Amino acid sequence: MYVTGWMIPASYGIQCFVCDVVHLNSECNGTENIMQCPITYDTCMTMIRYSSDVGKMQISKLCSKREACWTQRRVLSEYAACDANETDEWACVSCCDSHDLCNTNRAGSELGRLPVPASAATAALLVFLWL
């Protein structure tokens, strides 16, 4: 939008899918989960955790600031590696800002680089993520 030759910045940030602790990715990707983030939130964050205590993956998606997302990713990687071969606990964080709703399918590049699961049970868990 232009006003007398000046560009006025948009008053909103990126659009992200937003949900808190669901077990299937499809539970988070409906139109009811689309959020227009505040202007200072420029990144979509996806966190996927698995704990043998819970026995299911836990997926959360939210609006974030780029620096906060990358900090969360670094801190979480020190606590639990992003490795689905771990049978007790693992966690992945993905940060994306390339376009609206960039957090549609998964913890982005993180799960895309996971090694092939060592067990059939782990493989089954990963399949359920994409349903």
Side-chain angles (χ1 to χ4, degrees):
M1 173 186 303
Y2 290 95
V3 176
T4 61
W6 291 88
M7 178 100 169
I8 298 175
S11 59
Y12 51 86
I14 194 170
Q15 280 187 341
C16 299
F17 286 105
V18 175
C19 59
D20 189 33
V21 190
V22 299
H23 300 293
L24 299 174
N25 195 46
S26 60
E27 294 176 303
C28 194
N29 289 345
T31 56
E32 68 278 5
N33 297 97
I34 296 173
M35 180 174 183
Q36 186 70 57
C37 304
I39 188 138
T40 57
Y41 289 73
D42 56 0
T43 300
C44 299
M45 178 165 51
T46 301
M47 294 186 293
I48 301 177
R49 296 180 185 144
Y50 175 80
S51 170
S52 58
D53 293 339
V54 176
K56 295 180 182 180
M57 282 189 283
Q58 299 173 318
I59 304 166
S60 296
K61 298 182 181 189
L62 58 145
C63 297
S64 180
K65 295 181 179 183
R66 184 175 295 112
E67 185 176 326
C69 188
W70 285 97
T71 298
Q72 178 70 29
R73 183 177 169 157
R74 180 184 50 78
V75 168
L76 198 56
S77 71
E78 293 171 6
Y79 171 70
C82 180
D83 183 354
N85 287 318
E86 287 292 324
T87 57
D88 291 331
E89 187 165 359
W90 55 267
C92 301
V93 173
S94 175
C95 308
C96 67
D97 60 4
S98 59
H99 59 278
D100 285 343
L101 307 177
C102 60
N103 64 338
T104 301
N105 290 329
R106 57 183 175 183
S109 58
E110 283 306 309
L111 282 179
R113 285 190 294 238
L114 284 176
V116 175
S119 70
T122 303
L125 282 172
L126 290 175
V127 168
F128 282 119
L129 172 64
W130 313 123
L131 297 180

